Structures are given as C-alpha cells and as structure tokens.
Amino acid sequence: AQSVTQPDIHITVSEGASLELRCNYSYGATPYLFWYVQSPGQGLQLLLKYFSGDTLVQGIKGFEAEFKRSQSSFNLRKPSVHWSDAAEYFCAVSTRGSQGNLIFGKGTKLSVKP
Amino acid sequence: DAGVTQSPTHLIKTRGQQVTLRCSPKSGHDTVSWYQQALGQGPQFIFQYYEEEERQRGNFPDRFSGHQFPNYSSELNVNALLLGDSALYLCASRKGMESYEQYFGPGTRLTVT
C-alpha cells in the first residue's frame, strides 16, 4: 500500500535560516508528489508538484523540492525562511487512475524564531 | 473568482445524530473529493464525486455518504455520529477526473460531544 512518511513532527528555525522538510514515500511505480501548506483556520494550499521530468521543481513562495527516486524522497527546501512561513506542511502522493485520492503524511509543523 | 467554499465553518453535534456538510467547488471545476483531517493527522480521503456519481471511496464506513448536484456542488452526510468523527472535513475540487491539481476549501470543523 502507498504511504507517506514525514519524520519530523515539529521543526523550529530562525528567520532567515534555510529550511528542509523531509518526505519519504512508499510506492512501486512513479508517484505524483505534492507539497501542501496549511495555516491555522485555512485550507490546504498547493506549494508545488512533481509529475515527471526535471527532478528539481520550483513552487510558490520561494519553495523548491527535489525528487530522488533512489531514496524514495521528495524533500521541501527554502533558502531563507520568513516569519510568515510558520504553518503546517504536508507531503502527499497520488497515482494515475486515483488522481482525486491524495495520500498525505502526518505533517510537519514549522515554527519560525525571530 | 471564488475558490472552494464550505459551510458551515463550525458545527457541534451529539453522538448518534446526523450531520450534513456542504461544498461548492471552484468555478469551472466539476470533480469534488472529501477528506477527513483528525487532530494532529494528515487528511484522509473519504470519497470523490464526478458527474453526480461516487467514483472512488476510501476506507470509511457506510455511515459516510455523499451527493453531487447538477451544479457540481456536493454534500457529505454522516449518520450515527461517533466521538471519533470529530475532525476537520475538507472539500477539494478539480477540473475533470484526469486532473491532478486539487484546490481545497477552508474546511468544516465538526465536534461530536
């Protein structure tokens, strides 16, 4: 069965520091991978997605993610974190034929220190 | 252009009662999925609707049912509520069954007492 693991429940970084949020997936074929962000009281906003091609994908708000097939990973990165980035981040996977069925990790809560 | 809207925002129900949650998809979207997000967890897929039919279902009991209307809006119904049904219920819409890009609404917070 497909699964998504986000090993870090909570991460705190200083404003201006770099950020990397980890995501590992379990799936036999090439998955379709996503990162979403959820602020308190808000729905999920899509940050970026990977379907195929270039393994480094750029998203909104200065985020990027790299797909590494050999490590079954899709880690999210940002070179310089802003206080407004404090939120919960979810990695998700989907597959052809089940496009509407996203499988999510449990999320990583990001706190930003001034 | 309105995004995905959901109503109500919050809801408190008692065990054993029934509840109906509503979702209007983003303009131009015709496919709706519902997710349950328990506290501290990622969202879990409940089911999806397209052309007024349930097309795919996650691992949820029959107490969870839904409907899609001709204008593409959708309802999620939960019968015989349990304490464990307390969660944030998210609706997501997209344009066509083949599309991967889903847009999420703000959710309905359901509390069962």
Side-chain angles (χ1 to χ4, degrees):
Chain A
Q2 300 166 59
S3 66
V4 176
T5 302
Q6 294 181 247
D8 304 305
I9 297 172
H10 189 187
I11 283 183
T12 299
V13 300
S14 297
E15 191 167 16
S18 64
L19 170 71
E20 183 169 30
L21 301 182
R22 296 182 290 164
C23 172
N24 293 95
Y25 66 90
S26 172
Y27 184 64
T30 298
Y32 299 94
L33 296 159
F34 307 82
W35 274 99
Y36 283 86
V37 61
Q38 186 176 37
S39 299
Q42 307 279 325
L44 295 164
Q45 182 182 22
L46 179 65
L47 285 176
L48 46 77
K49 57 188 181 288
Y50 172 78
F51 293 161
S52 63
D54 192 349
T55 56
L56 184 63
V57 294
Q58 303 297 321
I60 63 171
K61 303 184 180 187
F63 286 93
E64 66 178 26
E66 186 171 13
F67 171 60
K68 292 186 177 180
R69 185 189 301 275
S70 61
Q71 298 176 21
S72 297
S73 69
F74 188 57
N75 294 347
L76 182 71
R77 300 194 295 246
K78 186 170 185 178
S80 178
V81 169
H82 188 262
W83 64 266
S84 61
D85 293 325
E88 187 132 27
Y89 292 80
F90 292 94
C91 181
V93 64
S94 183
T95 60
R96 180 176 295 278
S98 298
Q99 288 91 321
N101 178 1
L102 284 169
I103 297 171
F104 286 87
K106 291 188 176 183
T108 297
K109 183 176 180 180
L110 173 65
S111 297
V112 181
K113 289 189 301 185
Chain B
D1 175 25
V4 179
T5 59
Q6 293 185 241
S7 63
T9 306
H10 296 89
L11 204 51
I12 300 174
K13 290 286 188 178
T14 304
R15 275 177 298 177
Q17 286 189 317
Q18 179 264 344
V19 68
T20 297
L21 311 181
R22 295 177 175 83
C23 171
S24 291
K26 181 178 169 63
S27 178
H29 287 188
D30 55 9
T31 306
V32 173
S33 295
W34 285 92
Y35 292 80
Q36 180 195 65
Q37 185 178 16
L39 202 60
Q41 302 292 316
Q44 278 195 291
F45 174 73
I46 302 174
F47 43 53
Q48 72 170 345
Y49 277 83
Y50 175 68
E51 292 185 335
E52 302 179 49
E53 288 188 14
E54 182 182 298
R55 299 292 177 156
Q56 194 172 13
R57 189 178 184 92
N59 188 24
F60 278 81
D62 292 345
R63 298 187 296 108
F64 289 77
S65 63
H67 190 76
Q68 185 179 36
F69 299 93
N71 68 352
Y72 310 121
S73 67
S74 177
E75 287 181 350
L76 164 65
N77 301 293
V78 187
N79 295 322
L81 284 167
L82 303 174
L83 294 179
D85 295 331
S86 295
L88 180 68
Y89 288 85
L90 296 164
C91 171
S93 73
R94 66 191 200 278
K95 187 174 183 179
M97 287 279 288
E98 295 303 310
S99 171
Y100 283 91
E101 193 154 341
Q102 296 191 69
Y103 291 79
F104 282 81
T108 293
R109 172 73 63 187
L110 172 65
T111 301
V112 182
T113 62

